[in-house]
Amino acid sequence: MARKPILAGNWKMHGSTAEATALAGGLAASVGAHEDRGVILAPPFTALATVLQAVRGTRIVVAAQNMHFEDKGAFTGEISPAMLADLGVDHVILGHSERRELFGENDEVVNKKVTSALAHGMTAILCVGETLAQRDAGDTLNVIGRQVEGGLRGVGADQADRVILAYEPVWAIGTGRVATPEQAQEVHAAIRSTLGRLGLPGDDIAILYGGSVKPDNVDGLMACADIDGALVGGASLDVESFTRIVDFQ
Ligand code: PGA
């Protein structure tokens, strides 16, 4: 099965509903009809409904940036998979490094979220990535291997068509310091073989690169054999720049 490129925009904690409508509407017009590549937008929770409305009738998919693993309960401030499903959201980013670093999520919690998302029929976009200290210590592939294995524990091959991986080196996120295509390719290839070791169809699972992806570096990254797409933060907040990224050469 050929892997279709996927370009995902992670808007993080940015945007009023009016700004989200304008951004999603602009992208609906520019890239909403693409069939040869997938486009995913991940607005903040408060703009999910508005963005779903703005992309209705296009091929753009809307994702949440996080969720709790339980369906309901006394979890103040949390959003459940059932609530996302109720809105019509069936994709979710999980284990982003900002969740891990700033909100204390570890592989065990991330794994509960991944298995919950899959059990609810959602597609999980599992993020992994090493810190600069871990890279400098030569530990990158170990760290990534642990995160992939930990995050996907209990996930079966029959669920693999709803798993997307995102390799996002922490030192490249929001820093303007992008991994070289060679650095990214090395890790992507390692992730693919880890997936195989876990009994998952690694060749069919999309692995996105994230970390300072911009219009001027996306083409080089997308030329790598094991890079199937991009998870884009800052450059996804502008119609022109994200359109150029989606329309990579
Ligand atoms: P960035 O963020 O493109 O702003 O570096 C990427 C991400 O965190 O997903």
Side-chain angles (χ1 to χ4, degrees):
M1 194 177 85
R3 299 183 300 268
K4 186 160 103 170
I6 297 174
L7 294 306
N10 172 12
W11 296 0
K12 308 194 179 183
M13 196 171 73
H14 292 290
S16 63
T17 51
E19 287 166 334
T21 307
L23 181 51
L27 291 167
S30 64
V31 298
H34 287 4
E35 291 185 10
D36 62 334
R37 52 199 74 194
V39 179
I40 301 176
L41 304 180
F45 288 122
T46 47
L48 283 171
T50 244
V51 169
L52 280 163
Q53 180 70 33
V55 302
R56 186 158 295 160
T58 74
R59 303 182 68 91
I60 294 175
V61 167
V62 177
Q65 298 173 15
N66 180 33
M67 65 170 210
H68 197 277
F69 48 83
E70 297 283 0
D71 267 13
K72 60 181 172 187
F75 302 104
T76 301
E78 293 293 312
I79 304 284
S80 78
M83 292 168 176
L84 294 176
D86 182 43
L87 277 182
V89 173
D90 62 359
H91 282 57
V92 61
I93 297 173
L94 295 170
H96 189 280
S97 67
E98 286 152 17
R99 299 297 317 169
R100 294 175 189 261
E101 285 203 338
L102 305 173
F103 302 98
E105 293 191 13
N106 56 26
D107 286 332
E108 196 185 325
V109 169
V110 173
N111 179 241
K112 284 185 179 169
K113 294 184 175 197
V114 169
T115 51
S116 170
L118 295 174
H120 282 83
M122 300 177 73
T123 294
I125 305 168
L126 169 63
C127 302
V128 298
E130 83 287 2
T131 63
L132 188 56
Q134 290 165 331
R135 172 161 286 268
D136 287 345
D139 220 15
T140 298
L141 297 185
N142 287 331
V143 169
I144 301 302
R146 268 202 310 274
Q147 290 177 347
V148 171
E149 223 174 304
L152 294 178
R153 187 156 294 135
V155 173
D158 57 327
Q159 297 173 306
D161 59 336
R162 285 183 287 110
V163 173
I164 296 172
L165 266 290
Y167 167 56
E168 299 202 301
V170 176
W171 47 271
I173 294 178
T175 58
R177 187 178 159 196
V178 64
T180 64
E182 294 72 24
Q183 285 173 321
Q185 166 59 28
E186 181 195 19
V187 178
H188 281 232
I191 292 174
R192 213 173 290 291
S193 49
T194 301
L195 293 171
R197 266 202 310 283
L198 295 174
L200 299 171
D203 285 341
D204 295 342
I205 295 179
I207 308 176
L208 318 184
Y209 167 81
S212 298
V213 174
K214 307 287 178 206
D216 65 2
N217 60 32
V218 66
D219 300 341
L221 289 161
M222 290 304 296
C224 297
D226 288 295
I227 299 183
D228 305 316
L231 179 53
V232 186
S236 73
L237 293 171
D238 175 76
V239 173
E240 196 185 328
S241 107
F242 192 57
T243 297
R244 171 63 183 85
I245 288 171
V246 172
D247 289 336
F248 72 88
Q249 319 282 310

